[in-house]
Amino acid sequence: MNQTPTAGRSAILLLAHGTPDQLDEMAAYLDKVTGGRPMPQHVIEELQHRYAEIGLRNEPLPEGPPLTRWTLRQAEMLQEAVDTKVYVGMRNWHPYIADTVAQMKADGITHARVLCLAPQNSRTSTGLYRRALESALNGAFTYDFIAGWADEPLLAQAFAEKLEPTLVEARAALGTQVPVVFTAHSVPCRTILATAGESSRPGAPVPADGIQNYGATSTPDPYPVEAKQTAARVASFVSLTDPDWFFAFQSQGVAGAPWIGPTVEETLKALAEEGHKGVVIQPIGFLCDHVEILYDIDIHFRDAARGLGMQLWRPESLNDSPTLVRAIEQVLARP
């Protein structure tokens, strides 16, 4: 439930996932991601490898890791647009939500509009961010929490603006229509099911077959439906018809539990078997560059496509898209 604002200073708080600043922080970072469940050493090393492939080192990058850099840039652009102080809090790394809340309190903020930079609402993202926020607040200020904004037309427009030139390039290269695969991050199967009971109770031990305790619920998670709805809106903007686009879930976990699909790998194989020689992949669940884009798509999926005799194109990420910033501004202005 949103809380009633009091007289005083208002601000905007953007919540995001967070990412390590350097390779030797990986174990500590994953401890945050899993809610304390230990990760096997081979998983830590595999993720260190992936992050190394996109430029992370054992010393901080001057410009910061991509996700942090672009998230902070989005906050700067939003602050310029709305002339309101904009803060950023990360759930799994610096700047932590709790530290940002403490800074907001010190700055005299009495009310905040809070937006999660994961447009499709899910207990695995939005829900966990809100719980982290509530845990950190301790009455510091009141807030309005925006749980999901996958329906914002400007969000779909922002993705379409990046997709259109890539489609033109791919079609020109192959001289034919090229299928588009829209993607969003996969989640463990159990998190999208309607569940209730002691095993889901907040504070209960993290299940051995899952990454996190997402809390009790009596309704299915809206995430898969909202992700596909975003894809459909983007497809409509660029006049793609049903035979021209597909949807897959990417970046399934490297340890434990079944995750929702279909996977990108399965989808690429099916497209190759249909005779396609190229594919465009656009992730519509991510607002900026990070490892799931720069490694999973640009390296892993591109290699997989090449092995199937296909070329792969990816539109630029939204990153500092002015249309994305206008989308966020519109969402924050909703009653």
Side-chain angles (χ1 to χ4, degrees):
M1 180 180 295
N2 292 338
Q3 302 182 13
T4 304
T6 58
R9 293 190 62 198
S10 295
I12 293 167
L13 173 58
L14 303 179
L15 304 181
H17 188 270
T19 188
D21 297 311
Q22 54 197 65
L23 293 177
D24 56 12
E25 297 171 336
M26 189 62 64
Y29 164 73
L30 291 175
D31 186 69
K32 300 290 184 182
V33 174
T34 64
R37 183 167 68 92
M39 297 297 282
Q41 183 60 32
H42 72 87
V43 172
I44 295 172
E45 292 174 358
E46 170 60 25
L47 290 172
Q48 285 177 321
H49 163 72
R50 296 182 186 185
Y51 276 81
E53 287 289 300
I54 68 166
L56 215 63
R57 298 292 179 259
N58 278 325
E59 59 280 336
L61 300 174
E63 69 279 15
L67 185 147
T68 305
R69 179 171 77 251
W70 287 119
T71 300
L72 293 176
R73 177 60 185 143
Q74 289 165 0
E76 290 173 358
M77 293 174 68
L78 179 63
Q79 183 167 296
E80 292 167 1
V82 299
D83 195 27
T84 299
K85 179 66 175 176
V86 178
Y87 295 84
V88 172
M90 306 282 192
R91 194 179 77 85
N92 299 307
W93 207 249
H94 307 284
Y96 286 117
I97 291 172
D99 294 338
T100 300
V101 165
Q103 183 61 57
M104 293 171 71
K105 183 178 180 180
D107 291 345
I109 301 301
T110 57
H111 184 76
R113 293 278 285 168
V114 183
L115 182 74
C116 181
L117 293 176
Q120 296 84 21
N121 188 9
S122 173
R123 291 189 296 278
T124 64
S125 57
T126 310
L128 289 178
Y129 299 148
R130 182 164 190 166
R131 286 168 62 185
L133 172 64
E134 291 174 345
S135 176
L137 274 172
N138 196 27
F141 49 81
T142 58
Y143 67 93
D144 298 317
F145 190 94
I146 299 165
W149 47 290
D151 61 340
E152 172 52 50
L154 283 171
L155 175 68
Q157 181 179 325
F159 281 117
E161 288 172 355
K162 299 294 186 180
L163 175 59
E164 198 150 30
T166 304
L167 272 177
V168 171
E169 178 187 349
R171 290 166 178 169
L174 295 183
T176 185
Q177 286 284 86
V178 179
V180 175
V181 178
F182 296 105
T183 68
H185 202 299
S186 183
V187 295
C189 290
R190 69 177 187 84
T191 69
I192 64 168
L193 303 176
T195 59
E198 187 69 18
S199 63
S200 297
R201 178 178 54 82
V206 177
D209 65 346
I211 279 190
Q212 184 59 269
N213 170 19
Y214 300 101
T217 181
S218 59
T219 56
D221 195 284
Y223 176 72
V225 173
E226 291 194 2
K228 292 169 188 176
Q229 288 174 340
T230 301
R233 291 187 182 98
V234 178
S236 178
F237 262 102
V238 296
S239 302
L240 291 175
T241 57
D242 286 346
D244 298 326
W245 69 273
F246 304 84
F247 190 90
F249 288 99
Q250 68 166 86
S251 309
Q252 281 76 5
V254 296
W259 291 57
I260 62 173
T263 67
V264 172
E265 293 89 341
E266 292 166 344
T267 305
L268 291 177
K269 185 173 183 294
L271 291 174
E273 289 172 351
E274 289 181 0
H276 292 286
K277 298 300 180 184
V279 63
V280 173
I281 293 182
Q282 184 175 45
I284 50 79
F286 307 108
L287 301 186
C288 66
D289 283 336
H290 55 106
V291 69
E292 281 87 354
I293 294 175
L294 300 176
Y295 179 85
D296 291 3
I297 297 178
D298 290 356
I299 297 176
H300 176 63
F301 296 151
R302 182 165 278 119
D303 286 347
R306 188 179 298 114
L308 294 166
M310 302 172 71
Q311 289 182 257
L312 186 151
W313 288 265
R314 176 183 67 80
E316 291 182 356
S317 299
L318 297 188
N319 293 337
D320 59 352
S321 159
T323 308
L324 169 64
V325 175
R326 287 197 293 125
I328 294 172
E329 185 179 353
Q330 285 290 100
V331 172
L332 288 165
R334 293 177 183 177

